[in-house]
Amino acid sequence: MVGWRSQSRDLQQDAILADRASSQDPLGSPLPKMIPGIGAFTQDTLWCFSQVKGTMETGTTEADIISTVEFNHTGELLATGDKGGRVVIFQREQESKNQVHRRGEYNVYSTFQSHEPEFDYLKSLEIEEKINKIRWLPQQNAAYFLLSTNDKTVKLWKVSERDKRPEGYNLKDEEGRLRDPATITTLRVPVLRPMDLMVEATPRRVFANAHTYHINSISVNSDYETYMSADDLRINLWNFEITNQSFNIVDIKPANMEELTEVITAAEFHPHHCNTFVYSSSKGTIRLCDMRASALCDRHTKFFEEPEDPSNRSFFSEIISSISDVKFSHSGRYIMTRDYLTVKVWDLNMENRPIETYQVHDYLRSKLCSLYENDCIFDKFECVWNGSDSVIMTGSYNNFFRMFDRNTKRDVTLEASRENSKPRAILKPRKVCVGGKRRKDEISVDSLDFSKKILHTAWHPSENIIAVAATNNLYIFQDKVN
Amino acid sequence: MLGKGGKRKFDEHEDGLEGKIVSPSDGPSKVSYTLQRQTIFNISLMKLYNHRPLTEPSLQKTVLINNMLRRIQEELKQEGSLRPAFPASSPPADPLGSSYREAPPAFSHPAPAPCELGGAAPLEACLTPASLLEDDQDTFCTSPAAQPAAPARLAPPALPPEKDSFSSALDEIEELCPTSTSTEAAEATTDDPKGDSGGPGAHRPEGLQDGRPDDPKLMDSLPGNFEITTSTGFLTDLTLDDILFADIDTSMYDFDPCTSASGTSSKMSPVSADDLLKTLAPYSSQPVAPSQPFKMDLTELDHIMEVLVGS
């Protein structure tokens, strides 16, 4: 199963044809064409535009560039972080009985400034307020909790609703001014009266000063009591209640920095085993560590690395092997890694090679020198699983994003653009042509816009709803509902 | 070409140059391989030392670029150690006895030896913007006829004797410091304005071979925000760059799409290489080829020296 190359069959085209064919049912009754939800990416799944958030202006302010996207555990909330340090949370509206054809839309629920720019006086450098990652905590009461982080500081935010307020205080009047106790002649019990819904976000914890280098990942542990934060050289374990201490569990900083050749690029806890986590490196390796083995997990329990393909060696082999994202499957049996040109799925029980490899944009292999020159080769693409671990998705350039069905081995390239943004418009599959003959509707490699990159995507935990961040716009796509 | 909505070109041949490693043993491919390597080396140096961000540069990026430079250096070193076994077909006037420094020399020697082919590859092609590397493989393997033209264009006749003294001094330095570390760099520098190259010059294929002494305080001007950069060997090689370019307006160097302050869509690099070149143009009386971002020819250095000395 190693080295499977995509055939780039147009999944959506097939589905459209099948759709038309089946509507010719001689018995006259509409056949059920859809296998609903739960991540089943069958031949019949069509992706449609649902919503787009963000301004339509072509001149983008840097601060609006979306830097992270994350659904919460139920999929009810969708959080985005941007370069300006803001977090915007969207909430899915309740599906009404009247409009069965439209699934709930996501509307703004709360917006707050999570991080502010800071200045490191020691090094005379700015600390960016850009939100690198957001991770939700599972809901335990009426309030929602999320972690957001920039390069240096992690914060725990509580997002809570207030739709009632107390009235009838004895010591305060309605405006809140204190009353003179001497004037009070009767006592009453304050009552709660309804008010307009107010959503407030408050920072409950600030976890600062634990990272010398830039934080690239945070991951909530399955015990819901601890989480980890990873920077280029170290990984720290925190308890949610304690902000002035953290345990260092991985440290790959060499004694002599001259000898540094490898950095940590991403880290994640196992979804079920609270003692297990993985971290990826800039050399294309993944290490799985068990915290029960020792306090400092510098010695890995498992080491995942694929031997280099000698026919593909180039100057840029190392750089393109650098892993930009690592994600456990929901089942916990697999990990998925994203490097510059491919997405790989690894079985935790097999360390010497991945079980599946998918080519995201192999046509860029001959452009690596230019991409090195303009720094695009350092772009960090993320990757996501769908709810049932049957389909994986990742972004590319020109506002393209790709989905790979692990069962059918089919893939599709879709585009997030304003042109496809009519309500419930079905997304047309896109194709990049490499050779001389360019067919209609195909786009040639040289025409790709490398400034339009899709680095961040998210998939609803149980339904076929995806959120795709294209620079400063957030696109929400859903599968077609009959 | 990379760019937004670039004009479509009917590309007949495969862009296969970069995907594979070209064996250094066959003729024209060897040229392109060395050329490519040299280009990548220069791009890497450019990235490390011309990036003046307001925020800390990404450690991952720095490490990857450093690894790239180290690898190329290792290769050059290995090739350098193999070369002396070659017959001395290089003419005596050839200052670069060892093609260890074959990477485009500043002293465009007039009669390049066959084994120098890679290094003496036409100067204008040496620092081709990467996009050109991809488009046309033929650009690399220029005919030998072109090569004398380049040296003739750039080297005044008085140069050869100077080159010899340079090269011999270079040889000495090579023996002194085979590996580049900061301590060795500091020791290797002398005050001889002509003889020594700055730092472990053997590892400086850029050919900035004038003898300005290493200025220790320049180390501070290098991106030393991470510990790694203050002690990496490459830094010491580049103090000369900083001396030479200190007065040059570096705003043009910031072509990095991610850090450019303007909100314009990212333009790819060939523009910047040309821009950089224009800033160097005043230093040279000859027309400079459009793709030599950092190549200070010996002629140009000579010019500067003359201006400074006032002769």
Side-chain angles (χ1 to χ4, degrees):
Chain A
M1 279 241 254
V2 173
W4 173 80
R5 300 256 190 267
S6 77
Q7 308 290 324
S8 62
R9 286 184 60 183
D10 291 336
L11 282 157
Q12 300 240 117
Q13 294 284 34
D14 286 352
I16 292 169
L17 290 170
D19 216 41
R20 271 190 230 133
S22 58
S23 65
Q24 309 290 333
D25 175 45
L27 295 179
S29 58
L31 294 171
K33 303 189 200 85
M34 277 293 304
I35 299 173
I38 325 293
F41 194 72
T42 67
Q43 192 166 349
D44 292 324
T45 307
L46 294 172
W47 287 96
C48 310
F49 171 81
S50 174
Q51 299 168 268
V52 60
K53 310 281 186 195
T55 155
M56 289 218 303
E57 291 150 24
T58 42
T60 315
T61 31
E62 284 242 337
D64 292 335
I65 296 176
I66 299 171
S67 50
T68 183
V69 188
E70 188 83 356
F71 279 100
N72 75 338
H73 294 264
T74 59
E76 182 203 352
L77 298 180
L78 175 61
T80 62
D82 65 23
K83 253 187 131 174
R86 286 169 306 211
V87 171
V88 180
I89 302 178
F90 301 92
Q91 184 188 42
R92 195 175 182 191
E93 66 185 25
Q94 301 292 347
E95 294 183 20
S96 63
K97 304 277 191 294
N98 309 333
Q99 302 180 331
V100 262
H101 294 285
R102 253 185 45 177
R103 306 247 214 89
E105 280 198 343
Y106 284 86
N107 300 315
V108 177
Y109 179 64
S110 171
T111 305
F112 56 93
Q113 185 77 32
S114 171
H115 287 72
E116 298 277 0
E118 287 170 42
F119 198 76
D120 182 341
Y121 292 100
L122 205 58
K123 298 181 186 172
S124 282
L125 290 169
E126 275 184 24
I127 298 173
E128 271 193 306
E129 67 275 32
K130 172 169 74 95
I131 308 293
N132 292 337
K133 285 282 174 351
I134 289 176
R135 291 286 182 262
W136 289 94
L137 269 67
Q139 198 173 5
Q140 288 169 319
N141 53 33
Y144 304 102
F145 287 88
L146 61 80
L147 285 174
S148 72
T149 184
N150 69 347
D151 284 337
K152 298 285 185 180
T153 306
V154 186
K155 294 189 185 179
L156 176 70
W157 287 88
K158 174 180 175 183
V159 183
S160 50
E161 293 181 10
R162 196 197 290 256
D163 61 353
K164 299 182 195 33
R165 62 160 190 210
E167 282 179 23
Y169 282 108
N170 292 294
L171 294 175
K172 286 191 290 190
D173 65 17
E174 295 309 315
E175 276 84 46
R177 288 188 296 248
L178 290 174
R179 289 165 72 180
D180 180 4
T183 64
I184 300 172
T185 51
T186 59
L187 288 176
R188 56 188 174 165
V189 177
V191 290
L192 290 174
R193 296 218 187 280
M195 59 178 257
D196 291 337
L197 179 66
M198 195 170 73
V199 181
E200 43 186 18
T202 46
R204 303 296 291 175
R205 305 271 187 275
V206 176
F207 305 92
N209 301 323
H211 287 281
T212 311
Y213 304 99
H214 292 176
I215 298 176
N216 52 54
S217 314
I218 46 175
S219 178
V220 179
N221 205 347
S222 49
D223 61 9
Y224 303 155
E225 285 185 8
T226 56
Y227 76 93
M228 71 158 139
S229 55
D231 68 25
D232 294 311
L233 297 178
R234 298 191 178 99
I235 302 182
N236 293 332
L237 181 72
W238 302 84
N239 182 302
F240 279 112
E241 301 302 318
I242 301 168
T243 59
N244 58 358
Q245 270 187 43
S246 74
F247 286 105
N248 176 238
I249 52 177
V250 173
D251 188 340
I252 64 169
K253 183 177 174 202
N256 181 5
M257 281 295 272
E258 269 189 55
E259 294 162 6
L260 179 66
T261 56
E262 193 175 8
V263 298
I264 298 171
T265 52
E268 200 184 41
F269 268 118
H270 191 283
H272 312 308
H273 305 309
C274 57
N275 54 287
T276 306
F277 66 93
V278 292
Y279 68 92
S280 59
S281 82
S282 56
K283 286 199 171 166
T285 65
I286 307 107
R287 288 170 178 80
L288 184 139
C289 300
D290 186 334
M291 294 197 289
R292 296 171 300 189
S294 71
L296 188 61
C297 300
D298 279 355
R299 299 228 302 268
H300 49 263
T301 305
K302 294 201 186 201
F303 182 75
F304 299 85
E305 186 179 30
E306 182 174 26
E308 195 184 356
D309 177 7
S311 65
N312 264 339
R313 262 195 70 212
S314 79
F315 286 109
F316 306 101
S317 291
E318 187 192 340
I319 298 184
I320 62 169
S321 74
S322 175
I323 292 175
S324 51
D325 195 16
V326 66
K327 291 267 170 49
F328 272 101
S329 64
H330 290 92
S331 61
R333 282 192 56 195
Y334 305 103
I335 45 177
M336 167 167 55
T337 58
R338 173 76 155 96
D339 52 60
Y340 190 62
L341 296 178
T342 71
V343 190
K344 296 180 178 159
V345 177
W346 306 73
D347 186 319
L348 282 190
N349 298 316
M350 186 159 76
E351 299 171 52
N352 59 347
R353 56 182 170 84
I355 57 169
E356 294 155 29
T357 300
Y358 301 96
Q359 300 296 327
V360 181
H361 37 217
D362 200 52
Y363 45 79
L364 295 182
R365 201 177 282 273
S366 56
K367 306 278 181 203
L368 291 178
C369 200
S370 297
L371 295 165
Y372 179 63
E373 202 173 2
N374 63 28
D375 275 353
C376 281
I377 210 175
F378 299 107
D379 285 337
K380 298 198 194 158
F381 292 94
E382 292 173 9
C383 53
V384 289
W385 299 87
N386 73 339
S388 61
D389 298 337
S390 59
V391 185
I392 56 184
M393 171 168 68
T394 188
S396 177
Y397 293 104
N398 210 70
N399 277 354
F400 288 171
F401 57 100
R402 306 257 288 138
M403 290 187 193
F404 303 92
D405 187 320
R406 297 178 58 218
N407 299 325
T408 65
K409 296 303 179 217
R410 287 143 63 115
D411 64 270
V412 68
T413 305
L414 301 172
E415 182 179 1
S417 74
R418 291 275 174 177
E419 285 83 50
N420 304 337
S421 301
K422 300 188 191 53
R424 292 187 295 286
I426 296 178
L427 292 182
K428 207 170 55 129
R430 303 306 310 259
K431 186 131 181 335
V432 178
C433 81
V434 205
K437 291 257 174 74
R438 191 185 81 100
R439 282 188 227 126
K440 186 170 104 79
D441 286 349
E442 286 185 357
I443 182 167
S444 84
V445 187
D446 299 323
S447 310
L448 293 175
D449 187 346
F450 288 85
S451 65
K452 293 192 186 160
K453 46 192 98 170
I454 292 184
L455 304 172
H456 313 286
T457 59
W459 204 310
H460 189 287
S462 53
E463 294 182 42
N464 273 346
I465 303 174
I466 55 176
V468 173
T471 317
N472 62 333
N473 285 328
L474 181 73
Y475 289 83
I476 299 176
F477 301 108
Q478 299 181 354
D479 63 347
K480 183 163 177 272
V481 184
N482 256 345
Chain B
M1 288 294 195
L2 298 179
K4 184 179 172 176
K7 194 172 170 188
R8 267 188 300 129
K9 293 195 292 248
F10 183 51
D11 209 23
E12 275 182 309
H13 39 267
E14 268 297 306
D15 292 346
L17 172 67
E18 301 190 38
K20 316 189 177 33
I21 260 213
V22 183
S23 149
S25 52
D26 30 303
S29 328
K30 177 194 178 292
V31 176
S32 54
Y33 174 83
T34 337
L35 197 55
Q36 188 184 12
R37 181 175 60 193
Q38 182 57 38
T39 308
I40 294 171
F41 190 91
N42 290 321
I43 294 173
S44 306
L45 287 174
M46 220 154 71
K47 282 188 187 304
L48 278 185
Y49 297 109
N50 287 300
H51 193 55
R52 296 267 187 263
L54 298 168
T55 58
E56 271 177 307
S58 154
L59 183 63
Q60 180 197 1
K61 201 166 135 184
T62 311
V63 165
L64 288 172
I65 297 172
N66 267 329
N67 289 351
M68 174 83 89
L69 288 168
R70 275 198 196 122
R71 214 175 315 129
I72 295 180
Q73 256 206 1
E74 280 304 312
E75 253 184 47
L76 289 173
K77 218 159 56 163
Q78 275 171 14
E79 284 180 9
S81 57
L82 288 173
R83 283 312 166 108
F86 275 61
S89 49
S90 43
D94 180 5
L96 298 185
S98 150
S99 56
Y100 182 135
R101 292 175 299 293
E102 64 170 317
F107 358 125
S108 37
H109 39 86
C115 64
E116 292 285 352
L117 193 59
L123 293 167
E124 57 266 22
C126 289
L127 291 163
T128 318
S131 52
L132 288 183
L133 273 179
E134 295 159 352
D135 289 344
D136 193 358
Q137 206 158 342
D138 295 329
T139 322
F140 309 143
C141 321
T142 56
S143 59
Q147 288 171 356
R153 189 163 55 80
L154 294 162
L159 275 178
E162 277 178 84
K163 290 188 221 161
D164 287 334
S165 69
F166 264 115
S167 62
S168 55
L170 260 170
D171 285 339
E172 287 165 13
I173 292 175
E174 252 183 68
E175 277 151 13
L176 277 177
C177 37
T179 59
S180 29
T181 63
S182 49
T183 48
E184 286 179 13
E187 288 161 21
T189 57
T190 67
D191 281 331
D192 179 5
K194 279 200 174 178
D196 301 332
S197 60
H203 297 259
R204 307 205 46 238
E206 278 200 330
L208 282 166
Q209 308 289 359
D210 77 331
R212 311 260 179 109
D214 228 0
D215 190 347
K217 72 175 187 295
L218 283 172
M219 300 279 270
D220 300 335
S221 65
L222 299 164
N225 301 314
F226 284 104
E227 300 161 74
I228 183 179
T229 53
T230 53
S231 50
T232 309
F234 297 111
L235 284 196
T236 61
D237 295 351
L238 279 237
T239 51
L240 265 186
D241 277 17
D242 274 39
I243 301 173
L244 292 170
F245 295 124
D247 297 330
I248 296 178
D249 171 28
T250 55
S251 60
M252 293 234 207
Y253 293 9
D254 282 338
F255 65 91
D256 188 313
C258 303
T259 57
S260 63
S262 65
T264 57
S265 63
S266 60
K267 295 277 192 275
M268 302 304 143
S269 52
V271 174
S272 63
D274 291 343
D275 286 345
L276 289 169
L277 198 63
K278 285 181 196 137
T279 67
L280 293 176
Y283 292 104
S284 162
S285 55
Q286 280 88 13
V288 189
S291 41
Q292 300 184 26
F294 295 117
K295 290 214 58 62
M296 289 290 277
D297 206 351
L298 191 63
T299 322
E300 294 157 11
L301 290 175
D302 219 46
H303 252 279
I304 298 172
M305 286 299 293
E306 281 173 18
V307 167
L308 290 173
V309 169
S311 58

